Amino acid sequence: MRTHETSPADRVRGCLTGGALGDAIGGPVEFMTWSTIRQHYGDSGVTGPDQLPQPLMVTDDTQMTLYTVDGLLEALEWANDGVQSDETACLWLAYLRWLRTQSLQPPSSAPSQPGRWIDAHDVLHNQRAPGKACISGLMSGEMGTTFRPVNADSKGCGTVMRSAPIGLLPHMPQEALSRLAVNASALTHGHPSAHQSAAIFALVINDLVHGESDLRTALERAVERAAENGVPELEQRLRSAVELAAKSDVLDPSGLTAALGEGWVAEESLAIAFYAALRAQQDGRSPADTFRAAINIAVNHDGDSDSTGSIAGNILGAAYGMAALPDGWAPLLDAADVIEEAAQRFNKLTGLDEA
């Protein structure tokens, strides 16, 4: 059972803001080796905003996460008007609108994308090393599906880092949530590991926000799910992450990547975030101190630091709500206002602000 109680609406805010903080803290070291990180930031690596230029700059991870929120909002708006909509198609249109923020024009074969509130936020138009598979999948002009894949062999972490909002949906059967996450993943990536990693991540978020699971229970349950989905590398990575986190010895950054990978592909990014979240938990440690410790583990390594930081931040924010965020960190985000607006819109439309 949970040891920290807060409302689902607060967990939504915590999940979105925590993910953005992990993204922004990991972004500056994304393409650095651990050796280079130490040279720039000291033996502990990046430990918080005080070492970084401000405002803290979010990357494509947070941008696409917020566009996932808006795609879901559009589907819910149609439903509230009594009009049936295709949630995956709404997400595709949202991602195509995000593509335009990157100064790229979707091909003529893609459907038109009427503008929405989120497109007016200039901070989301910054181009900060967007994922190649996300770009190429959307530039294909085809709506990728599991039956008609785009980027058939790609299992980059771009599907995982944007999938937390799917897990925030209330009152939705978990089979339907899993299916939506898989379909959303297939819009840009074709490999089953990308699909199933996104689905398991969304279900972890759902367990933490709307279920009764504490952090360890939710992540152990994710390993059980991975064992059932026919993607052995995903199960192996997640099981290793949970088992390693339970040991007394803490992995140093080199040992982390040796055991779990660098996070560039879906199952590795999820495993690193799992390890960071579980390893950071200690008896008597506050949610904010747990968040600090988890982000420190998640971003300081050879690999995709912004994505592993973002996923870990989503998980801790979903587990503890806004209490997970260290004092003064959230207002430093360059996208703080749009993140808060997205959370408010989501909570209002889903009725979570009245629960």
Side-chain angles (χ1 to χ4, degrees):
M1 295 291 290
R2 291 173 173 170
T3 57
H4 181 86
E5 287 302 327
T6 186
S7 69
D10 186 68
R11 292 176 189 271
V12 167
R13 293 179 64 218
C15 179
L16 295 178
T17 312
L21 282 169
D23 171 28
I25 292 170
V29 298
E30 177 184 8
F31 299 108
M32 292 185 185
T33 64
W34 168 232
S35 175
T36 305
I37 293 171
R38 290 180 67 188
Q39 292 173 16
H40 280 75
Y41 298 100
D43 287 345
S44 297
V46 178
T47 59
D50 58 320
Q51 297 167 284
L52 301 172
Q54 295 177 12
L56 299 175
M57 297 184 293
V58 301
T59 77
D60 60 309
D61 295 38
T62 299
Q63 293 171 352
M64 294 199 78
T65 296
L66 293 174
Y67 270 89
T68 300
V69 172
D70 193 51
L72 298 174
L73 289 177
E74 183 172 20
L76 291 167
E77 289 162 7
W78 283 110
N80 286 352
D81 289 339
V83 179
Q84 185 175 6
S85 65
D86 182 330
E87 296 93 340
T88 307
C90 288
L91 289 171
W92 186 36
L93 291 174
Y95 296 152
L96 288 170
R97 286 187 285 110
W98 168 78
L99 184 67
R100 295 170 69 95
T101 70
Q102 304 300 292
S103 298
L104 293 168
Q105 182 66 39
S108 58
S109 57
S112 63
Q113 312 98 43
R116 286 175 55 81
W117 67 276
I118 196 172
D119 305 323
H121 287 275
D122 290 341
V123 69
L124 301 185
H125 292 234
N126 293 313
Q127 298 165 42
R128 294 172 179 160
K132 293 180 180 178
C134 291
I135 293 292
S136 63
L138 296 170
M139 284 298 292
S140 73
E142 299 291 331
M143 183 176 173
T145 69
T146 56
F147 301 104
R148 187 184 61 194
V150 296
N151 292 326
D153 297 325
S154 179
K155 58 175 179 175
C157 65
T159 64
V160 183
M161 55 75 168
R162 70 189 192 220
S163 295
I166 296 171
L168 298 177
L169 289 167
H171 317 305
M172 193 168 178
Q174 294 208 329
E175 282 189 12
L177 278 174
S178 179
R179 184 166 58 251
L180 177 57
V182 166
N183 290 341
S185 169
L187 291 170
T188 54
H189 294 62
H191 196 285
S193 186
H195 302 163
Q196 295 301 326
S197 296
I200 283 177
F201 180 43
L203 291 174
V204 165
I205 298 299
N206 194 258
D207 283 348
L208 293 171
V209 174
H210 300 296
E212 294 298 322
S213 297
D214 61 17
L215 183 59
R216 178 165 292 279
T217 301
L219 300 191
E220 288 176 348
R221 188 178 181 192
V223 176
E224 295 173 3
R225 289 179 175 132
E228 300 170 355
N229 66 13
V231 183
E233 65 265 37
L234 175 57
E235 179 197 357
Q236 186 271 323
R237 291 293 191 189
L238 298 187
R239 189 175 300 281
S240 293
V242 172
E243 290 176 351
L244 288 167
K247 293 183 176 181
S248 58
D249 295 334
V250 180
L251 290 173
D252 63 22
S254 298
L256 177 69
T257 54
L260 301 177
E262 296 184 354
W264 299 108
V265 297
E267 72 273 9
E268 292 179 1
S269 64
L270 195 57
I272 291 171
F274 274 28
Y275 176 82
L278 288 173
R279 187 70 238 184
Q281 283 199 312
Q282 293 183 10
D283 290 343
R285 179 176 275 178
S286 70
D289 285 343
T290 301
F291 186 91
R292 285 189 185 93
I295 296 303
N296 181 256
I297 295 169
V299 306
N300 288 296
H301 57 80
D302 297 343
D304 197 354
S305 298
D306 60 338
S307 294
T308 52
S310 176
I311 297 166
N314 287 143
I315 291 172
L316 270 296
Y320 297 111
M322 293 297 285
L325 311 184
D327 288 343
W329 283 23
L332 299 176
L333 290 164
D334 63 353
D337 290 345
V338 63
I339 294 166
E340 182 62 26
E341 182 176 357
Q344 289 178 359
R345 285 174 177 265
F346 186 91
N347 285 333
K348 181 177 181 180
L349 198 56
T350 57
L352 292 176
D353 60 353
E354 300 174 357

